[in-house]
Coordinates of all heavy atoms in Angstrom, one line a residue:
M24 N 13.1 -12.4 -30.2 CA 13.8 -12.6 -29.0 C 13.6 -11.4 -28.1 O 13.3 -11.5 -26.9 CB 15.2 -12.7 -29.3 CG 16.1 -13.0 -28.1 SD 15.6 -14.6 -27.3 CE 16.7 -14.8 -26.1
K25 N 13.6 -10.2 -28.6 CA 13.4 -9.0 -27.8 C 12.0 -8.9 -27.2 O 11.9 -8.5 -26.0 CB 13.6 -7.6 -28.7 CG 15.0 -7.4 -28.9 CD 15.1 -5.9 -29.6 CE 16.5 -5.8 -29.9 NZ 16.7 -4.5 -30.6
A26 N 11.1 -9.4 -27.9 CA 9.6 -9.4 -27.5 C 9.5 -10.4 -26.2 O 8.7 -10.1 -25.3 CB 8.7 -9.8 -28.5
A27 N 10.1 -11.5 -26.4 CA 10.1 -12.5 -25.3 C 10.7 -11.9 -24.1 O 10.2 -12.1 -22.9 CB 10.8 -13.8 -25.7
R28 N 11.9 -11.2 -24.2 CA 12.6 -10.6 -23.0 C 11.6 -9.5 -22.4 O 11.5 -9.4 -21.2 CB 13.8 -9.8 -23.6 CG 15.0 -10.2 -22.6 CD 16.3 -9.7 -23.1 NE 16.8 -10.3 -24.3 CZ 17.3 -9.7 -25.3 NH1 17.7 -8.4 -25.1 NH2 17.6 -10.1 -26.5
R29 N 11.0 -8.6 -23.3 CA 10.1 -7.6 -22.7 C 8.9 -8.3 -22.0 O 8.6 -7.8 -20.9 CB 9.5 -6.8 -23.8 CG 10.5 -5.5 -24.1 CD 9.8 -4.6 -25.1 NE 10.4 -5.2 -26.3 CZ 9.7 -5.1 -27.5 NH1 8.6 -4.5 -27.7 NH2 10.3 -5.6 -28.7
A30 N 8.4 -9.4 -22.5 CA 7.3 -10.0 -21.8 C 7.7 -10.6 -20.5 O 7.0 -10.5 -19.6 CB 6.7 -11.2 -22.7
A31 N 8.9 -11.1 -20.5 CA 9.4 -11.7 -19.3 C 9.7 -10.6 -18.2 O 9.4 -10.7 -17.0 CB 10.8 -12.4 -19.5
K32 N 10.2 -9.4 -18.7 CA 10.3 -8.2 -17.7 C 9.0 -7.8 -17.3 O 8.8 -7.5 -16.0 CB 11.0 -7.1 -18.4 CG 12.5 -7.2 -18.6 CD 13.1 -6.0 -19.3 CE 14.6 -6.1 -19.5 NZ 15.1 -4.9 -20.1
R33 N 7.9 -7.7 -18.1 CA 6.6 -7.3 -17.6 C 6.1 -8.3 -16.6 O 5.5 -7.9 -15.6 CB 5.7 -7.2 -18.9 CG 5.7 -5.8 -19.5 CD 4.5 -5.8 -20.5 NE 4.3 -6.8 -21.4 CZ 4.8 -6.8 -22.6 NH1 5.4 -5.8 -23.1 NH2 4.7 -7.9 -23.4
G34 N 6.3 -9.6 -16.9 CA 5.9 -10.6 -15.9 C 6.5 -10.5 -14.7 O 5.9 -10.6 -13.6
A35 N 7.8 -10.2 -14.6 CA 8.5 -10.1 -13.4 C 8.2 -8.8 -12.7 O 7.9 -8.9 -11.4 CB 10.1 -10.0 -13.7
R36 N 7.8 -7.8 -13.3 CA 7.5 -6.4 -12.8 C 6.0 -6.7 -12.1 O 5.8 -6.2 -11.1 CB 7.4 -5.4 -13.7 CG 7.3 -4.0 -13.1 CD 7.3 -2.9 -14.1 NE 8.4 -3.0 -15.0 CZ 8.3 -2.9 -16.4 NH1 7.1 -2.8 -16.9 NH2 9.3 -3.0 -17.1
R37 N 5.2 -7.3 -12.8 CA 3.8 -7.7 -12.4 C 3.8 -8.5 -11.1 O 3.2 -8.2 -10.1 CB 2.9 -8.3 -13.5 CG 1.5 -8.3 -13.0 CD 0.6 -8.9 -14.2 NE 0.8 -8.1 -15.4 CZ 1.3 -8.4 -16.5 NH1 1.6 -9.6 -16.9 NH2 1.3 -7.6 -17.5
D38 N 4.7 -9.5 -11.1 CA 4.8 -10.3 -9.9 C 5.3 -9.5 -8.7 O 4.9 -9.6 -7.6 CB 5.8 -11.5 -10.1 CG 5.2 -12.5 -11.0 OD1 3.9 -12.5 -11.3 OD2 6.0 -13.3 -11.6
A39 N 6.3 -8.6 -8.9 CA 6.8 -7.8 -7.9 C 5.7 -6.8 -7.3 O 5.6 -6.7 -6.1 CB 8.0 -7.0 -8.4
E40 N 5.0 -6.2 -8.3 CA 3.9 -5.4 -7.7 C 2.8 -6.2 -7.0 O 2.5 -5.8 -5.9 CB 3.2 -4.7 -8.9 CG 4.1 -3.7 -9.7 CD 3.4 -3.1 -10.9 OE1 2.3 -3.8 -11.3 OE2 3.9 -2.3 -11.5
T41 N 2.5 -7.4 -7.4 CA 1.5 -8.2 -6.7 C 2.1 -8.6 -5.3 O 1.3 -8.5 -4.4 CB 1.2 -9.5 -7.5 OG1 0.7 -9.1 -8.7 CG2 0.2 -10.3 -6.8
D42 N 3.4 -9.0 -5.3 CA 4.0 -9.3 -4.0 C 4.0 -8.1 -3.1 O 3.7 -8.2 -1.8 CB 5.4 -9.8 -4.2 CG 5.4 -11.2 -4.8 OD1 4.2 -11.8 -4.8 OD2 6.4 -11.5 -5.2
L43 N 4.3 -6.9 -3.6 CA 4.4 -5.7 -2.8 C 3.0 -5.4 -2.2 O 2.9 -5.0 -1.0 CB 4.8 -4.6 -3.8 CG 4.9 -3.2 -3.0 CD1 5.9 -3.2 -1.9 CD2 5.1 -2.1 -4.1
F44 N 1.9 -5.5 -2.9 CA 0.7 -5.0 -2.4 C -0.1 -6.1 -1.8 O -1.1 -5.9 -1.0 CB -0.2 -4.4 -3.6 CG 0.4 -3.2 -4.1 CD1 1.0 -3.0 -5.1 CD2 0.4 -2.0 -3.1 CE1 1.7 -1.9 -5.5 CE2 1.0 -0.8 -3.5 CZ 1.7 -0.7 -4.7
S45 N 0.2 -7.4 -1.9 CA -0.5 -8.5 -1.3 C 0.1 -9.0 0.0 O -0.4 -9.7 0.7 CB -0.7 -9.7 -2.3 OG 0.6 -10.3 -2.6
F46 N 1.4 -8.6 0.2 CA 2.2 -9.0 1.3 C 1.6 -8.3 2.5 O 1.7 -7.0 2.6 CB 3.6 -8.8 1.2 CG 4.5 -9.3 2.3 CD1 4.7 -10.6 2.5 CD2 5.1 -8.3 3.0 CE1 5.5 -11.0 3.6 CE2 6.0 -8.7 4.1 CZ 6.1 -10.1 4.3
H47 N 1.2 -9.0 3.5 CA 0.7 -8.2 4.8 C 1.8 -8.0 5.7 O 2.5 -9.0 6.3 CB -0.4 -9.0 5.4 CG -1.1 -8.4 6.5 ND1 -1.9 -7.3 6.5 CD2 -1.0 -8.6 7.9 CE1 -2.3 -6.9 7.6 NE2 -1.8 -7.7 8.6
R48 N 2.3 -6.8 5.8 CA 3.4 -6.5 6.8 C 2.9 -6.3 8.2 O 1.8 -5.8 8.5 CB 3.9 -5.1 6.3 CG 4.6 -5.3 4.9 CD 5.3 -4.0 4.6 NE 6.1 -4.2 3.4 CZ 5.6 -3.9 2.1 NH1 4.3 -3.4 2.1 NH2 6.2 -4.0 1.1
A49 N 3.7 -6.7 9.1 CA 3.4 -6.5 10.5 C 3.7 -5.2 10.8 O 4.8 -4.5 10.4 CB 4.2 -7.5 11.3
V50 N 2.9 -4.5 11.7 CA 3.1 -3.1 12.0 C 3.5 -3.1 13.5 O 2.8 -3.6 14.3 CB 1.8 -2.2 11.9 CG1 2.0 -0.9 12.3 CG2 1.3 -2.3 10.4
D51 N 4.6 -2.5 13.7 CA 5.1 -2.5 15.1 C 4.5 -1.3 15.9 O 4.0 -0.4 15.4 CB 6.7 -2.4 15.2 CG 7.2 -1.1 14.6 OD1 6.4 -0.3 14.0 OD2 8.5 -0.9 14.7
E52 N 4.7 -1.4 17.1 CA 4.1 -0.5 18.2 C 4.6 1.0 17.9 O 3.7 1.9 18.0 CB 4.2 -0.9 19.5 CG 3.5 -2.1 19.9 CD 2.1 -2.1 19.7 OE1 1.4 -1.0 20.1 OE2 1.4 -3.0 19.2
A53 N 5.9 1.1 17.6 CA 6.4 2.5 17.4 C 5.7 3.1 16.2 O 5.4 4.4 16.1 CB 7.9 2.3 17.2
F54 N 5.5 2.4 15.1 CA 5.0 2.9 14.0 C 3.4 3.2 14.3 O 3.0 4.4 13.9 CB 4.9 1.9 12.8 CG 4.2 2.4 11.5 CD1 5.0 3.3 10.7 CD2 3.0 2.0 11.1 CE1 4.4 3.8 9.6 CE2 2.4 2.5 10.0 CZ 3.2 3.4 9.2
L55 N 2.8 2.4 15.1 CA 1.4 2.9 15.5 C 1.4 4.1 16.4 O 0.5 5.0 16.2 CB 0.7 1.7 16.2 CG 0.3 0.5 15.4 CD1 -0.1 -0.7 16.3 CD2 -0.6 0.9 14.3
E56 N 2.3 4.3 17.2 CA 2.4 5.4 18.1 C 2.6 6.7 17.2 O 2.0 7.7 17.4 CB 3.6 5.3 19.1 CG 3.2 4.3 20.2 CD 4.5 4.0 21.1 OE1 5.3 4.8 21.1 OE2 4.3 3.0 21.9
R57 N 3.6 6.5 16.2 CA 3.8 7.8 15.3 C 2.6 8.1 14.6 O 2.2 9.2 14.3 CB 4.9 7.5 14.4 CG 6.3 7.5 15.1 CD 7.5 7.5 14.1 NE 7.3 6.5 13.1 CZ 8.0 5.3 13.2 NH1 8.5 4.8 14.2 NH2 7.9 4.5 12.2
T58 N 1.8 7.1 14.1 CA 0.5 7.2 13.3 C -0.5 7.9 14.2 O -1.1 8.9 13.8 CB 0.0 6.0 12.8 OG1 1.0 5.3 11.9 CG2 -1.2 6.1 12.1
A59 N -0.6 7.4 15.5 CA -1.5 8.0 16.3 C -1.2 9.5 16.6 O -2.0 10.4 16.5 CB -1.6 7.2 17.6
R60 N 0.1 9.8 16.9 CA 0.4 11.2 17.1 C 0.1 12.1 15.9 O -0.4 13.3 16.1 CB 1.9 11.3 17.5 CG 2.2 11.0 18.9 CD 3.7 11.4 19.3 NE 4.7 11.0 18.3 CZ 5.5 10.0 18.4 NH1 5.3 9.1 19.4 NH2 6.4 9.7 17.5
L61 N 0.5 11.6 14.7 CA 0.1 12.4 13.5 C -1.3 12.7 13.3 O -1.7 13.9 13.1 CB 0.6 11.6 12.3 CG 0.3 12.2 10.9 CD1 1.2 13.4 10.7 CD2 0.5 11.2 9.8
F62 N -2.1 11.7 13.5 CA -3.6 11.9 13.4 C -4.2 12.6 14.5 O -5.2 13.4 14.4 CB -4.2 10.6 13.0 CG -4.1 10.2 11.5 CD1 -3.0 9.5 11.0 CD2 -5.0 10.6 10.6 CE1 -2.8 9.2 9.8 CE2 -4.9 10.4 9.2 CZ -3.7 9.7 8.8
E63 N -3.7 12.5 15.7 CA -4.2 13.1 16.9 C -4.1 14.7 16.7 O -5.0 15.4 17.0 CB -3.5 12.8 18.2 CG -3.9 11.4 18.6 CD -3.0 10.9 19.8 OE1 -1.9 11.6 20.1 OE2 -3.4 10.0 20.4
A64 N -3.0 15.0 16.1 CA -2.7 16.5 15.9 C -3.7 17.1 14.9 O -4.1 18.2 15.0 CB -1.2 16.7 15.3
R65 N -4.0 16.3 13.9 CA -5.0 16.7 12.9 C -6.5 16.6 13.3 O -7.3 17.5 12.9 CB -4.7 15.9 11.6 CG -3.5 16.5 10.9 CD -2.9 15.4 9.9 NE -1.8 15.9 9.2 CZ -0.6 16.2 9.8 NH1 -0.4 16.0 11.1 NH2 0.4 16.6 9.1
M66 N -6.7 15.6 14.1 CA -8.1 15.4 14.6 C -8.5 16.2 15.9 O -9.7 16.3 16.2 CB -8.4 14.0 14.8 CG -8.3 13.2 13.4 SD -8.4 11.4 13.6 CE -10.2 11.3 14.0
G67 N -7.5 16.5 16.7 CA -7.7 17.2 17.9 C -8.2 16.4 19.0 O -8.9 16.9 19.9
R68 N -8.1 15.1 19.0 CA -8.4 14.2 20.0 C -7.5 13.0 20.1 O -6.9 12.7 19.1 CB -9.9 13.7 19.8 CG -10.1 12.8 18.5 CD -11.6 12.4 18.5 NE -11.8 11.6 17.3 CZ -11.7 10.3 17.2 NH1 -11.3 9.6 18.1 NH2 -11.9 9.7 16.0
P69 N -7.4 12.4 21.2 CA -6.5 11.2 21.3 C -7.0 10.0 20.6 O -8.3 9.8 20.4 CB -6.6 10.9 22.8 CG -7.6 11.7 23.4 CD -8.1 12.7 22.5
L70 N -6.2 9.2 20.1 CA -6.4 8.0 19.4 C -6.0 6.7 20.1 O -4.8 6.8 20.6 CB -5.9 8.0 17.9 CG -6.5 9.1 17.0 CD1 -5.7 9.1 15.7 CD2 -7.9 8.8 16.8
S71 N -6.6 5.6 20.1 CA -6.2 4.4 20.7 C -5.2 3.7 19.6 O -5.2 4.0 18.4 CB -7.4 3.6 21.0 OG -8.0 3.2 19.8
A72 N -4.5 2.7 20.1 CA -3.7 1.9 19.2 C -4.5 1.3 18.2 O -4.0 1.1 17.0 CB -2.8 1.0 20.0
E73 N -5.7 0.8 18.6 CA -6.6 0.2 17.6 C -7.0 1.1 16.5 O -7.1 0.7 15.3 CB -7.8 -0.4 18.3 CG -8.7 -1.2 17.4 CD -8.0 -2.4 16.7 OE1 -7.1 -3.0 17.2 OE2 -8.3 -2.6 15.5
S74 N -7.3 2.3 16.9 CA -7.7 3.3 15.9 C -6.6 3.6 14.9 O -6.7 3.8 13.7 CB -8.1 4.7 16.6 OG -9.3 4.5 17.2
A75 N -5.3 3.7 15.5 CA -4.1 3.9 14.7 C -3.9 2.7 13.7 O -3.6 2.9 12.5 CB -2.9 4.1 15.5
R76 N -4.2 1.5 14.1 CA -4.0 0.3 13.4 C -5.1 0.4 12.2 O -4.7 -0.1 11.0 CB -4.2 -1.0 14.1 CG -3.9 -2.2 13.4 CD -3.9 -3.5 14.3 NE -3.0 -3.5 15.4 CZ -1.8 -3.9 15.4 NH1 -1.2 -4.1 14.1 NH2 -1.1 -3.8 16.4
E77 N -6.3 0.8 12.5 CA -7.3 0.9 11.4 C -6.9 1.9 10.4 O -7.2 1.7 9.3 CB -8.7 1.3 12.2 CG -9.8 1.2 11.2 CD -11.2 1.3 12.1 OE1 -11.1 1.0 13.1 OE2 -12.0 1.8 11.3
I78 N -6.4 3.0 10.8 CA -5.9 4.0 9.9 C -4.9 3.5 9.0 O -4.9 3.6 7.8 CB -5.3 5.3 10.6 CG1 -6.5 6.0 11.4 CG2 -4.6 6.2 9.7 CD1 -6.2 7.1 12.3
V79 N -3.9 2.7 9.5 CA -2.8 2.0 8.7 C -3.4 1.2 7.7 O -3.1 1.2 6.6 CB -1.8 1.4 9.7 CG1 -0.8 0.7 8.9 CG2 -1.0 2.6 10.5
D80 N -4.3 0.4 8.3 CA -5.0 -0.7 7.3 C -5.7 0.0 6.2 O -5.7 -0.4 5.1 CB -5.9 -1.6 8.1 CG -5.1 -2.6 9.0 OD1 -3.8 -2.7 8.8 OD2 -5.6 -3.1 9.8
N81 N -6.5 1.0 6.6 CA -7.3 1.8 5.6 C -6.4 2.5 4.6 O -6.7 2.4 3.3 CB -8.3 2.8 6.2 CG -9.3 2.1 7.0 OD1 -9.7 0.9 6.7 ND2 -9.9 2.7 7.9
L82 N -5.4 3.1 5.0 CA -4.5 3.7 4.0 C -3.8 2.7 3.1 O -3.7 3.0 1.9 CB -3.4 4.7 4.8 CG -3.9 5.8 5.3 CD1 -2.9 6.6 6.2 CD2 -4.4 6.8 4.2
G83 N -3.4 1.6 3.7 CA -2.8 0.6 2.8 C -3.7 0.0 1.8 O -3.4 -0.1 0.6
E84 N -5.0 -0.2 2.3 CA -6.0 -0.7 1.3 C -6.3 0.4 0.2 O -6.4 0.0 -1.0 CB -7.3 -1.0 1.9 CG -8.3 -1.6 1.1 CD -7.9 -3.0 0.4 OE1 -7.0 -3.7 1.1 OE2 -8.2 -3.2 -0.7
F85 N -6.3 1.7 0.5 CA -6.5 2.8 -0.4 C -5.4 2.8 -1.5 O -5.7 2.8 -2.7 CB -6.5 4.1 0.4 CG -6.5 5.2 -0.5 CD1 -7.7 5.8 -1.2 CD2 -5.3 6.1 -0.7 CE1 -7.6 6.9 -2.1 CE2 -5.4 7.2 -1.6 CZ -6.5 7.6 -2.2
F86 N -4.1 2.7 -1.1 CA -3.0 2.6 -2.1 C -3.0 1.2 -2.9 O -2.6 1.3 -4.0 CB -1.7 2.8 -1.4 CG -1.6 4.2 -1.0 CD1 -1.6 4.7 0.4 CD2 -1.3 5.2 -1.8 CE1 -1.5 6.1 0.7 CE2 -1.1 6.7 -1.6 CZ -1.3 7.0 -0.3
R87 N -3.5 0.3 -2.2 CA -3.7 -1.1 -3.1 C -4.6 -0.8 -4.2 O -4.5 -1.3 -5.4 CB -4.1 -2.2 -2.2 CG -2.9 -2.9 -1.5 CD -3.2 -4.1 -0.8 NE -3.9 -3.9 0.5 CZ -3.3 -3.6 1.6 NH1 -2.0 -3.4 1.7 NH2 -4.0 -3.5 2.8
V88 N -5.8 -0.1 -3.8 CA -6.9 0.1 -4.9 C -6.2 1.0 -6.0 O -6.5 0.8 -7.2 CB -8.1 0.7 -4.3 CG1 -9.0 1.2 -5.2 CG2 -8.8 -0.3 -3.3
L89 N -5.5 2.1 -5.5 CA -4.9 3.0 -6.6 C -4.0 2.2 -7.5 O -4.0 2.4 -8.7 CB -4.2 4.1 -5.9 CG -5.0 5.1 -5.2 CD1 -4.1 6.3 -4.6 CD2 -6.0 5.8 -6.2
A90 N -3.1 1.3 -7.0 CA -2.2 0.6 -7.7 C -3.0 -0.4 -8.7 O -2.5 -0.6 -9.8 CB -1.3 -0.4 -6.8
E91 N -4.1 -0.9 -8.2 CA -4.8 -1.9 -9.0 C -5.5 -1.0 -10.3 O -5.4 -1.6 -11.3 CB -5.9 -2.6 -8.3 CG -6.8 -3.5 -9.1 CD -6.0 -4.6 -9.7 OE1 -4.9 -5.0 -9.2 OE2 -6.5 -5.2 -10.7
W92 N -6.0 0.1 -9.9 CA -6.5 0.9 -11.0 C -5.3 1.4 -12.0 O -5.7 1.4 -13.2 CB -7.2 2.2 -10.5 CG -8.4 2.0 -9.8 CD1 -9.1 0.8 -9.6 CD2 -9.1 2.9 -8.9 NE1 -10.3 1.0 -8.9 CE2 -10.2 2.4 -8.4 CE3 -8.9 4.3 -8.5 CZ2 -11.2 3.0 -7.5 CZ3 -9.8 4.9 -7.7 CH2 -10.9 4.3 -7.2
E93 N -4.3 1.7 -11.6 CA -3.2 2.0 -12.4 C -2.8 0.7 -13.3 O -2.5 1.0 -14.5 CB -1.9 2.5 -11.6 CG -0.8 2.9 -12.7 CD 0.4 3.4 -11.8 OE1 0.4 3.3 -10.6 OE2 1.4 3.7 -12.6
R94 N -2.8 -0.4 -12.7 CA -2.5 -1.6 -13.4 C -3.5 -1.8 -14.5 O -3.2 -2.2 -15.7 CB -2.4 -2.7 -12.5 CG -1.6 -3.9 -12.9 CD -1.4 -5.0 -11.9 NE -1.1 -4.3 -10.7 CZ -1.3 -4.8 -9.4 NH1 -2.0 -6.0 -9.3 NH2 -1.0 -4.2 -8.3
I95 N -4.8 -1.6 -14.2 CA -5.8 -1.7 -15.2 C -5.7 -0.7 -16.4 O -5.8 -1.1 -17.5 CB -7.2 -1.6 -14.5 CG1 -7.5 -2.8 -13.6 CG2 -8.4 -1.5 -15.5 CD1 -8.6 -2.7 -12.7
D96 N -5.4 0.5 -16.0 CA -5.2 1.6 -17.0 C -4.1 1.3 -17.9 O -4.2 1.5 -19.2 CB -5.0 2.9 -16.4 CG -6.3 3.5 -15.8 OD1 -7.4 3.0 -16.1 OD2 -6.2 4.5 -15.1
R97 N -3.0 0.7 -17.3 CA -1.8 0.4 -18.2 C -2.1 -0.7 -19.2 O -1.5 -0.8 -20.2 CB -0.6 0.1 -17.4 CG 0.0 1.3 -16.7 CD 1.2 0.9 -15.9 NE 1.8 2.2 -15.3 CZ 3.0 2.2 -14.8 NH1 3.7 1.2 -14.8 NH2 3.4 3.2 -14.2
A98 N -3.0 -1.7 -18.7 CA -3.3 -2.8 -19.6 C -4.1 -2.4 -20.8 O -4.3 -3.1 -21.8 CB -4.0 -3.8 -18.8
K99 N -4.8 -1.3 -20.7 CA -5.7 -0.7 -21.8 C -4.9 -0.3 -23.0 O -3.9 0.2 -23.1 CB -6.6 0.4 -21.3 CG -7.6 -0.2 -20.4 CD -8.6 1.0 -20.0 CE -9.5 0.4 -19.0 NZ -10.5 1.6 -18.5

């Protein structure tokens, strides 16, 4: 019985992780403005809203890849 409960918990956790990283969140303009300000300070040049959106998308994909690698490592 305990093994079945553990397997169910693992399945629920895996589903939650999948939902977390596969769900495409809408990014509002205020978030893009904050992202642009943050990276403008580091890059020393102004960024467009499209550049800020690309940064957000790239960072999101980076963390999705890291999460997938961790999931693979845990399965070993």
